[in-house]
Amino acid sequence: PPDDPMSLHYLDMSGNSSNHYETSLRAVGEIIEPYDTVKLLPAFGFGAKLRSDNFARVSHQFPLNNNPAHPYVSNISELIYHYRKSLTENVLSGPTNFGPVIQNTARIARNFAEGEGDKAKGQHYFVLLIITDGIIGDFDRTVDEIIDASTLPLSIIIIGVGDTDFDSMHALDSDAQRLESGSRKAADRK
């Protein structure tokens, strides 16, 4: 709960300190934000029961600004504002599934990479930042989605926060060998 000082999502209402998620968002966001020339950062949460759904089920992807038609924020400060607001309106819940948000981001990148409509082919690059405090609940699907996205103009950054053992996530980085699932392999990015 965000009101528990031991929670990684603790919201210090005095504004004197940031939680692990806010610190990670600022650290990475402030590096990549200047490269976003259109100032549209899609911002999603995952692993929560939403007030807008009467807390009926776990959502594995929801817009932090609560606007499915336009899930964008213009900067990291606005993203953190919506993150904080979302914590006070929704109930965090597992499992931690990455597949849906990777698939959605890949769909957006694919749309731009193929130059559909008025989108200039080859003019866009995407970065998906996932910040998590848990083990991946849909590991096999996550691997499949990353492999599917490996030919796209997309980088995926996963930051683990807290004391959980994140060793299983090292398999996703393809440092030692390309990511594999059955006979499928991630694209070689030489």
Side-chain angles (χ1 to χ4, degrees):
D3 60 349
D4 178 356
M6 299 305 294
S7 170
L8 294 171
H9 289 283
Y10 176 64
L11 294 178
D12 176 7
M13 297 314 224
S14 71
N16 292 329
S17 65
S18 298
N19 66 35
H20 294 276
Y21 288 83
E22 294 168 315
T23 300
S24 297
L25 284 168
R26 283 195 197 288
V28 176
E30 289 176 356
I31 292 169
I32 62 177
E33 183 179 15
Y35 296 98
D36 178 21
T37 57
V38 294
K39 302 299 179 208
L40 289 175
L41 304 168
F44 296 97
F46 59 93
K49 293 183 178 180
L50 308 180
R51 174 177 285 168
S52 62
D53 192 28
N54 294 319
F55 309 106
R57 62 183 176 79
V58 177
S59 175
H60 298 293
Q61 179 180 303
F62 58 92
L64 284 180
N65 68 2
N66 207 25
N67 183 350
H70 191 77
Y72 304 99
V73 298
S74 59
N75 56 50
I76 297 303
S77 293
E78 185 180 351
L79 189 153
I80 289 174
Y81 166 80
H82 286 293
Y83 159 74
R84 288 177 147 255
K85 188 171 185 233
S86 179
L87 283 177
T88 63
E89 294 176 349
N90 302 306
V91 177
L92 297 176
S93 180
T96 301
N97 291 346
F98 295 170
V101 74
I102 294 171
Q103 181 183 44
N104 183 60
T105 305
R107 186 180 315 117
I108 294 167
R110 187 172 291 109
N111 184 25
F112 279 86
E114 294 170 356
E116 293 180 14
D118 63 347
K119 297 163 189 76
K121 185 175 179 178
Q123 298 298 310
H124 300 278
Y125 193 87
F126 298 85
V127 177
L128 171 60
L129 172 62
I130 299 174
I131 304 172
T132 181
D133 66 351
I135 302 302
I136 303 170
D138 63 343
F139 191 85
D140 291 339
R141 179 177 178 194
T142 295
V143 169
D144 287 337
E145 296 296 345
I146 292 171
I147 290 171
D148 288 347
S150 67
T151 61
L152 299 172
L154 170 65
S155 290
I156 301 171
I157 300 169
I158 302 173
I159 297 176
V161 296
D163 296 329
T164 301
D165 180 3
F166 294 104
D167 284 344
S168 66
M169 292 193 340
H170 290 291
L172 301 177
D173 64 22
S174 293
D175 284 347
Q177 67 182 39
R178 284 189 288 158
L179 196 58
E180 296 181 25
S181 177
S183 63
R184 299 174 57 227
K185 284 187 175 186
D188 190 2
R189 297 278 185 126
K190 290 183 179 180

